[in-house]
Structures are given as structure tokens and as C-alpha cells.
Amino acid sequence: MPAALETHRTQIEAILLAWGMAAANAAETAEILAWADLHGIDSHGMSMLTGYDSWRRQGKLNLACAPRIVRESPVSALVDGDAGLGHVPAAFAMRLAVAKAKQVGLAAVAVRNSAHFGACGYYSMLAVDAGLIGITTTTASGVRVAPTGGAEAKLGTDPWCFGAPGEAGRPFLLDMATTTVAFGRVRNKANEDLPAPPGWVLTPDGQPSTDPLDVVQRPGFLTSLGGTRENSSYKGYGLAMMVDILAGALSGVTFPSDPGHAKAEGGVNLGHFFLAMDPGLFRDPAEFRTDVARFCGQMRATTPADPATPVLVAGDPERATAARRRAEGIPVGPGLLAQIRTIAEASGAPWLLG
Amino acid sequence: MPAALETHRTQIEAILLAWGMAAANAAETAEILAWADLHGIDSHGMSMLTGYDSWRRQGKLNLACAPRIVRESPVSALVDGDAGLGHVPAAFAMRLAVAKAKQVGLAAVAVRNSAHFGACGYYSMLAVDAGLIGITTTTASGVRVAPTGGAEAKLGTDPWCFGAPGEAGRPFLLDMATTTVAFGRVRNKANEDLPAPPGWVLTPDGQPSTDPLDVVQRPGFLTSLGGTRENSSYKGYGLAMMVDILAGALSGVTFPSDPGHAKAEGGVNLGHFFLAMDPGLFRDPAEFRTDVARFCGQMRATTPADPATPVLVAGDPERATAARRRAEGIPVGPGLLAQIRTIAEASGAPWLLG
């Protein structure tokens, strides 16, 4: 039976505490991971604990991490993540950007020496909930994407997230990988013995393929958004480079294309970037929010191609899932549940899920 | 024979002067349009004069426009474009953002009451040439894009442009429509009696199509980047909404989805958004540029899928075209040449092209 959000969150927290994470950090990290599961972003919630456990066992996570500001101005900061998991440094950094933007209107914070931080959307929402536009992006540890025309992995899924306040409770929230699809969706096709749709996958030689095993079993590649050169995959590829320039080059961490990226001893060394901007710099913030709400409403009112499938706006599907899961609990598949139970037992954490 | 850049630019300037544009504005507008043609962005250079002429004849362009700051802070400004063509207000706005970013590190400028401004890349390059990261975006006058799952045009090609300084003379410069392809590429397929590749075009009912006439002759739609729902066109759709929120909602102009968008008397009322950011806020700017250059170099060094087609970085193709056209002149097809000649003659401008 799906566990209630609070139980789900507490289970994650218990495991992090058992790993030796400080109480406040464990609470915040669990909150952020559970937020992803609540919103249906299952790839970035509890399921991440298996990867985090692996990093932890390799000595690559400083569980006692305390982010610190190493450089600062009224509009900016560079934060060192202290080689911990990324959630605490990332939330610290976006809160700092929000506080500065509340003072001067616009601020950006880069984070170095960090690790995976869960779903980008959580951080952009910290800005949105403060009435601000929020941008969140991060380098990725996995390197599975070949640049357009290439036959070598040089990029990650390199996510981009933009949020803006609009109608109360229904902000615009775009949180996207710059690849056509995530690895998990290709794996699902392989599990079902189905072909991958054209545009998802490249062979190890960089040729278009519909065989999911080219990525799941062989060293092929995920495509950049667009899928093929003909369908402008160089745009998704360019967006991925933009992400790595903002999150990687500004913070001074390694790029996915660097030899040894995310493989150094003592830390994963990912970089993040956050921007917060007050619409009040330009006009009445209430009028701005009204306009964003009107714009979103115009999209939702579009005549649908299929009458059974209304047009949605970025953030709508995740909010619908969150409403359902708040009521019905958060489902975890049996495979993942068994893995998490093993991790909990190995670290001496209590087991709270069914 | 292709005219030299200077002749090409002077021809554009002569037409703008004949229309009654102030000398300084005509010089800058011609410079920006010729920059696009030089870089192979033919859709945004001289070819725009036909559309501009149509707006002018409808009384929708204030040829004596003078952009003015209507709201300002150390990190921001709102500029009114005075209902002129967008080039002068846009360059004014990005220069203002650059000047502010040189003072405080980070600045954003929104423009309202403007019109088409040519190619985004020109403005991002104003930031890049000053050692800054530059972001440029704008609302579009044409409405040809249905949101994912929709059968009604609600969005434009809504471009996004991001530039960052790297190797001297070879910055990263991504300038992309958020659609799979531009209208012109669909029209070219129709002209050649070729099908459109899957993912480019939707029928007027919002169904995937490979018939370019669905867009060229019938009221079908361009797709958002991704092409189909299965290939994540909601990402391109989300990026387009982001563009309209930044360029439209912050400046307070109409959205492409508003009834009467770009159809009001007295002006087109497009909005723009510019952001400039100093990498020196976060680290040594020279080290940042070295890292961006290294990152770009790693991409170019990727093993290509086709040995004859090396992997490129955003900005490379346009720079190669510019080098060739500086040497060989700027080609203009006979059809466009005839149109421009007609416009020149009708307005009493001298004819300088072959």
C-alpha cells in the first residue's frame, strides 16, 4: 500500500540519519527527495538513495557537510558545497539568491564541490513562493549524451528549470532534461521488449536507432532534445552546453566532458546555478502574476487535438500527481522497495514502509 | 554577383533613410540586419525589409522612434521602444544591461512597445564582447505554433539566445527558435515538392503530418522543439512559454495568444528581454573563459559519427559563413533581390546592388 507522504519522508530521513547525516541536513534532504516523489518525479526522489549509497560507500559524500559562502556581492555568491549531497547546499544557495533578489531585485548564486541535488523544480519553487522568477540548473554526474553528429558521450542530461509565479497555487514551472527523454524511459522500452521511438537513441557509432538495447546494454547514446540533426537536436545540444557553462564554468567544477568527471576521490564535484529575479523591477508584480496566469489559462483553453486530452501547462501534470498522492499515498514499486529496504537494514535504519 | 558587406549594409541603410528613419537609427538598424546576413541568418537580415515595409505602410512603425527608460534600478531597466523597429531599442537595452553589469555584475533590461529586432545573436554578442554572459529573447509577431496536444496556434517561434565568452573570436553563441524548424524550412520543402520530415508539421487538426502544405497552404502548425509528444515537444513548448514570460510578461506587452496580438493600430507592441552577467562575480573571468574554451574544444574533438562531418559548437557554423561572406560577398537570391529593388524604387532609395 502506498505510504503517506509523511511516512515516506520519514523513511528517507531515517536512512540519511543512519548514514550519519546531521539532523537538520537529513530533514531537509528528505523533504526535497519526498517532494520529488510526491510530484511524480520518481526518478529524482527515494530512488536516488541507491546511487547516493554507492557514493557514500566510495567515500565520495561528506555527510557532515556545511555549505559556506566563498565569494559574495549584493547580487551574487559562490557557495562551496563541502563535498556533501547537493540538496542542502542547493537550498541554501537558492534561499540566498532569493534574499538578495528581495533586496536588490536580481541575484545569482553558483555552487561548486557539490553532488546530486534531486529535482530542480524544488529550488525554483523557493523563488516562485517568494514571488520571484527562479532559474535552477546543474551539471550531471552521468555522461550518456553525444553532441549532435558525434559518436562519443560528452554531456549529461543537463537539466534546465524555469519557474514564474502566476495564479496562486498554479505557477509556471518548467523542469526539463535537455535530452529527448531520460535513460529510464529507454530502459522501460527495453523491459517491455518494445522499440524506442525514432529520435530517442543513437548506436555506439552515433547512428539513429530504435533499439533501446543500444543504450541499455551497449554503449550508445541518448539524444539531445530534437532527436536528430534534421529535427534540430543541435538545439538540445546547445541548451546542454548552456547548462554546463552556467552550472559548471561559473562555479569552476569539471565538465561532463572532462576525463575523470564525477570520479575524483573525496567528492563528486558537481556545480549548480540559481537565479532569482523580482518582476517588480519592471512592473507591478501583481499585474505580472495576473498576466502569467492569463497566459497559462490561454494555453489550457486551446482546442485540443484529442478532445479527451486537454492542453496542459508546465507544472500542471506534477501538481495533479501531487494532489493524488497527497490523498492516496506515494506508490513505490516492489523492486525499488526491496532495494531501499536492503539499504535501510544495512545501515541500521528503522523500516517504516509496508 | 554577391555584394560586399559594406555595399549590402549601405543598401539597407539607404532604404531605411528613404523611409524617413533618423540617420543614426538607420545606420544601426542596417548594421544589425547586415550582421545577420553576414552570418548566414538570412531569414533575419535584408529579407525582413519586406515585412517591415508592410508594417510601415500600415502606420505601425514610428520611424522617428527614440527608446527611453521608464523605470530603472542599479540592476535593471524597463525601456519603452517608442513603437519603432526593435533594433535600436534592443541594442540600447542590451548596452544598458552591459553597463549595469559592468557596475554591479548582473543586470536585466526589458523592452516594451517595440517591434521585430532582427537576429537575437547580435545583442547577446554585445554582452559577450564586453566579457559577459548575454541572454536575449523576444516575443514574436507571427503565431503559428500550437502547444503540445493543441489544434490552435497560440505561440510564435519564440527565440532564445545565450552567449558566453570563451576562446577569443570563438565564443559560445546559441541562437535558436523554440520550434523544431522555422517556417522557411517547411516552405522550402513545399517548393521542392518534398515531404516534411516527421516531427516538423501538424495538420490544422493538430495531428502529425509530413505534408508541408499543411503549414504553407493550410492553417496547420509548426511544432515545438521535440516535434511530437512522444519526443517531448512539451519541452520546446515550455521553453516558448518561458520566452513569452520573460519578454512579454515582464515588459507588459501582449502575448502571442492574446486576441489582436501584433495587430493593434500604431504599433506592433513586441517585448524583449536582455540579461548580462559578469563571470567575475564568481571566479577569475580569464579562468572562466579558458574553461569555456576548453569545453567547446572538447565538443569539437568528439569522434564524429560521419568522419566527413566534424562536431560543431553553437556559433561555429555562423562564424564560418561570416568568414566566407566577408571574402566573397553576401549572396541574395534573385527573388528577394527583385523584391528589395521594388521596395527601394518605391521609396526613392538608390539601388546599389547588382
Side-chain angles (χ1 to χ4, degrees):
Chain A
M1 207 183 102
L5 170 62
E6 182 51 23
T7 310
H8 186 91
R9 193 200 63 72
T10 306
Q11 179 66 69
I12 297 172
E13 186 179 18
I15 291 170
L16 297 171
L17 288 168
W19 288 354
M21 191 180 277
N25 287 8
E28 178 152 60
T29 305
E31 173 74 24
I32 295 168
L33 290 168
W35 182 93
D37 285 324
L38 179 71
H39 287 79
I41 314 167
D42 298 353
S43 54
H44 286 66
M46 178 180 272
S47 68
M48 289 304 306
L49 289 176
T50 59
Y52 297 166
D53 190 45
S54 163
W55 278 342
R56 179 181 73 92
R57 289 170 180 272
Q58 295 168 56
K60 299 179 75 156
L61 291 183
N62 174 12
L63 289 160
C65 85
R68 68 193 165 85
I69 298 170
V70 292
R71 195 163 178 164
E72 194 171 15
S73 86
V75 297
S76 67
L78 174 65
V79 169
D80 189 294
D82 200 16
L85 271 174
H87 312 70
V88 169
F92 174 84
M94 184 54 110
R95 288 201 186 95
L96 189 59
V98 167
K100 288 174 183 287
K102 283 287 185 183
Q103 290 291 320
V104 295
L106 179 59
V109 177
V111 181
R112 70 182 190 198
N113 192 23
S114 186
H116 193 271
F117 67 25
C120 290
Y122 183 88
Y123 309 101
S124 290
M125 279 303 298
L126 294 176
V128 168
D129 286 341
L132 308 178
I133 286 174
I135 290 176
T136 301
T137 188
T138 181
T139 66
S141 57
V143 186
R144 288 184 184 279
V145 183
T148 298
E152 215 179 331
K154 291 283 178 91
L155 295 161
T157 49
D158 296 340
W160 174 257
C161 177
F162 174 93
E167 184 184 337
R170 290 174 104 189
F172 178 82
L173 184 63
L174 174 69
D175 183 359
M176 55 175 265
T178 54
T179 50
T180 304
V181 295
F183 174 76
R185 291 187 58 195
V186 181
R187 189 187 49 210
N188 291 350
K189 292 291 182 186
N191 290 344
E192 298 165 42
D193 270 331
L194 290 172
W200 284 23
V201 168
L202 298 174
T203 67
D205 296 329
Q207 304 301 328
S209 167
T210 56
D211 185 349
L213 299 181
D214 273 325
V215 171
V216 176
Q217 291 185 357
R218 292 180 287 273
F221 314 102
L222 295 176
T223 61
S224 302
L225 179 61
T228 60
R229 189 192 296 271
E230 191 165 51
N231 283 12
S232 306
S233 63
Y234 51 85
K235 296 182 181 180
Y237 158 42
L239 290 170
M241 286 192 72
M242 172 183 81
V243 162
D244 285 316
I245 290 170
L246 288 171
L250 286 177
S251 63
V253 302
T254 56
F255 296 113
S257 47
D258 279 322
H261 171 68
K263 292 189 175 60
E265 292 202 14
V268 189
N269 198 25
L270 300 188
H272 319 311
F273 176 82
F274 306 91
L275 185 141
M277 178 163 56
D278 188 345
L281 288 173
F282 306 100
R283 59 189 297 222
D284 182 310
E287 290 178 7
F288 170 82
R289 292 194 299 269
T290 300
D291 275 359
V292 171
R294 185 179 91 247
F295 186 45
C296 292
Q298 287 168 338
M299 294 303 131
R300 295 188 190 104
T302 305
T303 307
D306 168 3
T309 308
V311 171
L312 301 176
V313 168
D316 287 347
E318 293 78 13
R319 275 191 292 271
T321 302
R324 198 168 59 242
R325 291 187 172 185
R326 270 187 213 284
E328 301 173 3
I330 297 177
V332 179
L336 177 60
L337 203 67
Q339 286 177 36
I340 301 298
R341 184 161 194 162
T342 302
I343 287 172
E345 286 170 356
S347 57
W351 184 245
L352 311 172
L353 301 181
Chain B
M1 207 184 101
L5 170 62
E6 182 50 24
T7 310
H8 185 91
R9 192 199 63 73
T10 306
Q11 179 65 69
I12 297 172
E13 187 179 16
I15 291 170
L16 296 171
L17 287 168
W19 288 354
M21 191 180 278
N25 287 7
E28 177 152 60
T29 304
E31 173 73 25
I32 294 169
L33 289 168
W35 182 92
D37 286 323
L38 179 69
H39 286 79
I41 313 166
D42 298 353
S43 53
H44 287 65
M46 177 180 274
S47 67
M48 289 305 307
L49 288 176
T50 59
Y52 297 165
D53 190 45
S54 164
W55 279 340
R56 179 182 72 94
R57 290 169 180 274
Q58 294 168 54
K60 300 180 73 154
L61 291 184
N62 175 12
L63 290 161
C65 85
R68 67 191 166 88
I69 298 171
V70 291
R71 192 163 180 163
E72 193 171 18
S73 85
V75 297
S76 67
L78 174 65
V79 169
D80 189 294
D82 200 17
L85 271 174
H87 313 70
V88 169
F92 174 83
M94 183 55 109
R95 286 200 188 95
L96 189 58
V98 166
K100 288 174 184 285
K102 283 286 185 184
Q103 291 291 320
V104 296
L106 178 61
V109 177
V111 180
R112 70 182 189 200
N113 192 24
S114 187
H116 193 270
F117 66 27
C120 290
Y122 182 88
Y123 309 100
S124 291
M125 280 303 298
L126 293 177
V128 168
D129 285 342
L132 308 178
I133 285 173
I135 290 176
T136 300
T137 188
T138 181
T139 66
S141 58
V143 186
R144 287 183 185 278
V145 183
T148 298
E152 214 178 333
K154 291 283 178 93
L155 296 161
T157 49
D158 296 340
W160 174 257
C161 177
F162 174 92
E167 185 184 336
R170 291 175 103 189
F172 178 83
L173 184 63
L174 174 70
D175 184 358
M176 54 175 266
T178 53
T179 49
T180 303
V181 296
F183 175 77
R185 291 187 59 196
V186 180
R187 188 187 49 210
N188 291 351
K189 292 290 182 187
N191 289 345
E192 298 165 43
D193 269 331
L194 289 172
W200 283 23
V201 168
L202 299 174
T203 67
D205 296 328
Q207 304 300 328
S209 167
T210 56
D211 184 350
L213 298 181
D214 273 323
V215 171
V216 176
Q217 291 185 358
R218 292 181 286 274
F221 313 102
L222 295 176
T223 61
S224 302
L225 179 61
T228 61
R229 189 192 295 271
E230 190 164 51
N231 284 11
S232 306
S233 62
Y234 51 85
K235 296 182 181 181
Y237 159 41
L239 290 170
M241 287 192 71
M242 173 183 81
V243 162
D244 285 317
I245 290 170
L246 287 171
L250 286 178
S251 63
V253 301
T254 56
F255 295 113
S257 46
D258 279 323
H261 171 68
K263 294 190 173 60
E265 293 202 13
V268 190
N269 198 24
L270 300 189
H272 319 311
F273 176 82
F274 306 91
L275 185 139
M277 178 164 55
D278 189 345
L281 288 173
F282 307 100
R283 59 189 298 225
D284 181 308
E287 290 178 6
F288 170 83
R289 293 194 299 270
T290 300
D291 275 0
V292 171
R294 187 179 89 246
F295 185 46
C296 293
Q298 287 168 339
M299 294 303 130
R300 296 187 189 104
T302 304
T303 306
D306 168 2
T309 310
V311 172
L312 301 177
V313 167
D316 286 348
E318 294 78 12
R319 275 190 292 272
T321 301
R324 198 169 58 244
R325 291 187 172 185
R326 270 186 213 283
E328 300 171 3
I330 297 178
V332 179
L336 177 60
L337 203 67
Q339 287 178 37
I340 300 299
R341 185 162 193 159
T342 302
I343 287 172
E345 286 170 358
S347 57
W351 184 245
L352 311 172
L353 302 181

